[in-house]
Structure formats: C-alpha cells, structure tokens
Amino acid sequence: MWGQCDAIYSTFCVMSLLCLYRNRLIKASIYFGIALAFKLQAVFIAPFLCTFFLNYRLHIHKGFKAKDALLFIIPIMVVWLSGAVAYCYGRNPLDTFPIYFEQIDIYDNICLKCPNFWGLFITLPYKTKQILINPSLAICFTVLLCGLFYTLKHKTLNNQSNFLVTATWFTWTAVMLLPKMHERYTFMIDILLVLLSFTNKRFVKYAAISLAINTWIYYYFFTVPLFPPLYTKIARSVIYSAAYLFFTCSLVHASKPQESHSN
C-alpha cells in the first residue's frame, strides 16, 4: 500500500533465522546484513541474533573464538557494500551509515499509528510524549536484556522447538516497546506469528489477532471511521498489547515444566 519494501527485508530476516536454526552463523550474518541494507527495521531481530550467539557459545559449542568477530563485522560490511554503485558515481563512501542515524531522528512522536504499548499514551500532551521517548528506550532495552538473561539461564534455545517462538518474542518486544514505531513495522511479526501457527495451533490466536489489527488499521485509511480515530487507536493498542502480554506469559509458563523436568 505504501510502496515500501517490508516484504524484502523481512524475507532476508527469515532467511537469516533459518540459517541460525541450522547453526550456519556466517550465512545468517550475511542475510541479516542484506536485510539491514534494505531497511533499518531489520534491526528488530538483532536482540535475538545476539541471544542465540551467546547461547551457542556458552551452552552448545562452549568458548568464544577470534573469528566470532566476523559475525558482527559482516553485516556492517554488507551494508557498506550495498552502496558500491553509488560510490562509483561519486557518492562519499562514508555517507552510508549516517543515513541510518538520521532516520532515527526524523520523527519526534512516541507512537506513529503502531498499535504498540506507547499507543496507549497518545492522548498525553505532545511535550510529555517527547519526554517519554528516552525512558521508553531504556524500558525496551531493559526488557530485552531480561529476556536475554532468562533465555540463557533456562537454556531455552538448547531445545530447537523453542527457536522460532523465542525469535518471535524478541522481535515482538522490540516493536512493542520502542518509540517512533509506524504501523507497518509489525509486518515481520505477522510473518513470524503465521510461521509459528504451522508449528503449534496454540499460536493461531496470536497470528489472527495481529493480522486482524493490521487489517483494521489499513481499513481505516480508506473508509470513514465508525468511531473517533483517537479512541480507535487506543483500542487497537489495548488489544495488541494484551495479545503480546498473554504471549509472553504463555512462554514463561511453558518453560517451567521443562525447568523442573531437567532438575
């Protein structure tokens, strides 16, 4: 609808996850770099990539190696090489990365039509929402860090059946708690939830809710709203946030039997 390339970067993100699932870390790093070269929003899966790598080195192939640095260097190089044609035609080779940082500063509203947690606060005064931007970053970072420690402590990723659901949680958490999120940034979450639905039917309800919410959002762009737009946005955020919280609780609950069984 918007002429965006979300399907492209999401495809390479999924390919990166597939390579991780097969323990092909270098290929996963390359695909992530390609995704990042198309859109900054590929960074939503970065927390999971880091979590998987740490788990891989701490619990599976124990010990870190010098070549592990390549996993972090490769995406940066891929992004830089994506501008090779522009460099040949005179563009400054150092212009690549500032573009990403400039994109972060384009908007100054805590929520941009995304039905995430911060959509619950859109009725606040504009200056108050601006003040909340930095704390929201700290909250998102803290929750993701807690997810990382929880995953490593309980060795969640040692069981491959937990791979996709953990990847989905990290991605969903990033979108739910980061500020300045557009409605289209939930695109990859829809894809991951649909994939999860094929692994276990208990995830179908989350995929259905996510797809319904996004259909609702785009429907309102083309029709006369039945309810005041402001309250409609809040209602969507309430439903979407509730789905995310139930999803999170279900993962924590599912990990408990595994923990007690292993003990």
Side-chain angles (χ1 to χ4, degrees):
M1 175 178 168
W2 301 126
Q4 297 284 339
C5 62
D6 297 78
I8 300 175
Y9 87 82
S10 295
T11 296
F12 286 106
C13 283
V14 171
M15 292 174 72
S16 179
L17 293 175
L18 179 61
C19 288
L20 276 189
Y21 183 79
R22 296 173 175 172
N23 293 328
R24 298 175 181 176
L25 304 189
I26 296 295
K27 284 188 176 181
S29 187
I30 293 173
Y31 282 128
F32 175 64
I34 296 173
L36 202 56
F38 275 98
K39 262 202 169 186
L40 177 61
Q41 285 73 48
V43 77
F44 296 151
I45 71 166
F48 175 73
L49 299 183
C50 293
T51 302
F52 181 91
F53 168 72
L54 289 174
N55 184 80
Y56 185 81
R57 284 305 183 200
L58 292 173
H59 299 314
I60 301 176
H61 291 273
K62 297 184 178 181
F64 294 89
K65 301 178 181 179
K67 68 177 183 179
D68 289 339
L70 288 174
L71 300 176
F72 300 92
I73 296 173
I74 287 174
I76 297 174
M77 292 304 301
V78 170
V79 171
W80 184 80
L81 288 171
S82 68
V85 175
Y87 307 149
C88 293
Y89 280 86
R91 188 69 183 262
N92 188 336
L94 299 179
D95 284 347
T96 303
F97 301 106
I99 292 174
Y100 288 84
F101 294 103
E102 290 167 6
Q103 182 181 348
I104 296 173
D105 294 328
I106 291 177
Y107 304 102
D108 56 1
N109 201 327
I110 195 169
C111 183
L112 301 164
K113 296 185 178 66
C114 180
N116 67 358
F117 177 75
W118 303 112
L120 301 173
F121 300 90
I122 58 175
T123 57
L124 293 177
Y126 178 71
K127 289 186 177 179
T128 304
K129 290 188 286 187
Q130 283 186 306
I131 293 172
L132 284 173
I133 289 177
N134 287 334
S136 68
L137 289 170
I139 291 171
C140 182
F141 177 79
T142 301
V143 174
L144 288 171
L145 197 60
C146 289
L148 183 150
F149 284 125
Y150 183 90
T151 303
L152 294 179
K153 178 182 177 181
H154 296 278
K155 301 181 180 180
T156 306
L157 290 174
N158 286 15
N159 185 345
Q160 281 194 315
S161 64
N162 295 325
F163 178 90
L164 188 55
V165 67
T166 306
T168 303
W169 182 85
F170 274 97
T171 307
W172 202 352
T173 299
V175 176
M176 284 300 299
L177 298 179
L178 281 174
K180 306 182 182 182
M181 295 288 101
H182 285 278
E183 73 289 335
R184 62 181 178 271
Y185 293 176
T186 62
F187 185 93
M188 188 160 55
I189 298 170
D190 290 342
I191 300 299
L192 294 176
L193 287 173
V194 169
L195 289 175
L196 268 180
S197 298
F198 285 97
T199 67
N200 192 317
K201 63 181 181 181
R202 71 188 176 96
F203 296 115
V204 172
K205 55 182 176 289
Y206 300 109
I209 291 172
S210 186
L211 291 169
I213 288 292
N214 284 300
T215 302
W216 185 4
I217 291 173
Y218 286 101
Y219 171 80
Y220 262 66
F221 279 111
F222 289 102
T223 60
V224 178
L226 299 176
F227 305 100
L230 187 62
Y231 296 106
T232 301
K233 292 176 183 178
I234 295 175
R236 288 196 294 254
S237 291
V238 168
I239 298 171
Y240 203 61
S241 297
Y244 164 76
L245 289 174
F246 277 108
F247 182 83
T248 302
C249 291
S250 70
L251 299 189
V252 174
H253 178 73
S255 68
K256 289 182 179 179
Q258 294 178 4
E259 180 187 356
S260 59
H261 179 73
S262 62
N263 291 336

